[in-house]
Amino acid sequence: MFKAFYSLSKRPFVKEIAPKDLFMSDNFTEVKARLDYLKNTRGIGVVVGEPGCGKTTALRLFADSLNPSLFKIIYFPLSTGTVMDFYKGLANGLGEKPKYRKVDIFQQIQQAVTNFYQDQKITPVFILDEMQLAANRFLSDLSILFNFSMDSQNPFLLIMSGLPYLIDKLSLNQNQSLTQRIVMRYYLESLSKEEIADYINHQLKLAGANHPIFTPQAVEAIALRSRGLPRLVNNLALNSLLMGYQLKADNINEEIVFKACEEAGL
């Protein structure tokens, strides 16, 4: 379809992209530096941002950078089951057969973390996504679960990711025990207007483009409608290419972008 029409070697603006090929915006560079700091200090970190800003992608980039002989990654999105499913998932991720009572699972997880860190010299890395869905009682549980040796050690990395109101939940009085243990916080913002043009060109170059496809006005239109959120930039740009192919347009202009937005309901 549009790939041959626009002389592209592969489909652009897809999420299946190798970490080495990710576009490193200022915010992406900063969140990587913050996560690297957390890697060196260990403990608890929080990354928040609007839907589609690239939180999970940033965490994937960080996870890919970790040496598997030194770090063990356990990724779990809170939205995939009940709270007990979550605890059992953590135990499974550590190679344990989950027990039945919560108190026993907690002890099981803590012992497994300690064994990895002290005996195998491997630091478990827990990446908990969609944490804006967490109930306050669950957040209180985390402050207990990740309290080691009477709060004198951090033999783990715990990264909580979610929408911005996760910060509001953490600021509540009943969550202060967990909040006071957080050593890194970062709000991942959207792309700037200038970065959107670079982002689009970067994606097209990865797809094999050898000439400009989007006019400057089209890029401005995408920036306006996407609010700088990479997921929406991808959707708008891809739909614009499809619309441009249908119209047999050599270049994507702002009119095509707006038509593509209307057709896609964006």
Side-chain angles (χ1 to χ4, degrees):
M1 290 177 62
F2 70 84
K3 288 194 299 180
F5 185 79
Y6 288 110
S7 301
L8 300 174
S9 59
K10 59 183 179 180
R11 188 182 177 97
F13 305 107
V14 295
K15 63 181 180 181
E16 297 86 1
I17 184 171
K20 66 180 178 62
D21 292 328
L22 289 171
F23 176 75
M24 296 303 295
S25 66
D26 289 345
N27 265 273
F28 241 60
T29 301
E30 181 61 26
V31 73
K32 184 179 182 302
R34 299 289 184 97
L35 289 168
D36 285 341
Y37 167 78
L38 183 65
K39 177 184 71 174
N40 294 328
T41 61
R42 299 186 307 279
I44 303 175
V46 177
V47 177
V48 299
E50 298 293 339
C53 72
K55 297 184 297 298
T56 304
T57 303
L59 294 173
R60 180 164 59 90
L61 175 65
F62 173 67
D64 186 74
S65 73
L66 298 177
N67 185 337
S69 65
L70 298 176
F71 296 92
K72 181 174 180 59
I73 299 167
I74 300 97
Y75 173 80
F76 204 95
L78 190 64
S79 57
T80 57
T82 66
V83 172
M84 280 304 292
D85 287 337
F86 170 80
Y87 296 134
K88 290 177 181 178
L90 294 188
N92 276 321
L94 291 164
E96 300 290 324
K97 183 178 180 180
K99 296 186 178 180
Y100 294 100
R101 295 192 309 161
K102 185 171 77 171
V103 64
D104 294 328
I105 295 179
F106 275 27
Q107 186 177 19
Q108 191 176 27
I109 291 172
Q110 288 193 327
Q111 187 60 54
V113 169
T114 301
N115 289 341
F116 268 109
Y117 186 73
Q118 293 184 353
D119 299 340
Q120 302 182 46
K121 309 306 179 186
I122 294 175
T123 302
V125 180
F126 299 91
I127 300 177
L128 312 185
D129 214 347
E130 306 294 345
M131 285 297 290
Q132 74 278 355
L133 301 173
N136 289 325
R137 184 173 180 181
F138 173 62
L139 294 174
S140 296
D141 279 351
L142 287 182
S143 68
I144 299 171
L145 179 59
F146 289 93
N147 184 336
F148 287 79
S149 301
M150 299 179 68
D151 206 24
S152 64
Q153 293 182 353
N154 285 331
F156 64 88
L157 270 71
L158 169 62
I159 304 170
M160 296 185 289
S161 176
L163 299 182
Y165 63 85
L166 170 61
I167 296 295
D168 296 331
K169 298 186 77 166
L170 290 169
S171 67
L172 297 175
N173 287 335
Q174 57 262 48
N175 297 324
Q176 286 303 300
S177 179
L178 177 62
T179 300
Q180 291 172 10
R181 291 181 168 88
I182 296 172
V183 299
M184 186 281 289
R185 297 173 177 82
Y186 192 73
Y187 190 118
L188 186 60
E189 297 184 356
S190 56
L191 299 170
S192 68
K193 184 177 178 181
E194 294 76 17
E195 286 177 328
I196 291 173
D198 292 336
Y199 177 83
I200 291 173
N201 289 332
H202 176 79
Q203 294 285 344
L204 290 172
K205 184 177 179 181
L206 290 175
N210 53 23
H211 66 283
I213 298 176
F214 288 79
T215 67
Q217 293 79 13
V219 172
E220 275 200 41
I222 291 175
L224 177 65
R225 288 296 183 95
S226 70
R227 307 188 310 280
L229 298 171
R231 185 186 298 159
L232 289 184
V233 173
N234 287 346
N235 291 342
L236 292 177
L238 188 56
N239 280 303
S240 296
L241 287 171
L242 289 167
M243 178 66 69
Y245 168 72
Q246 293 171 15
L247 298 173
K248 297 298 185 282
D250 292 333
N251 294 101
I252 305 298
N253 59 30
E254 70 272 25
E255 291 182 7
I256 292 175
V257 171
F258 289 132
K259 284 181 181 179
C261 290
E262 292 174 7
E263 188 171 280
L266 297 171

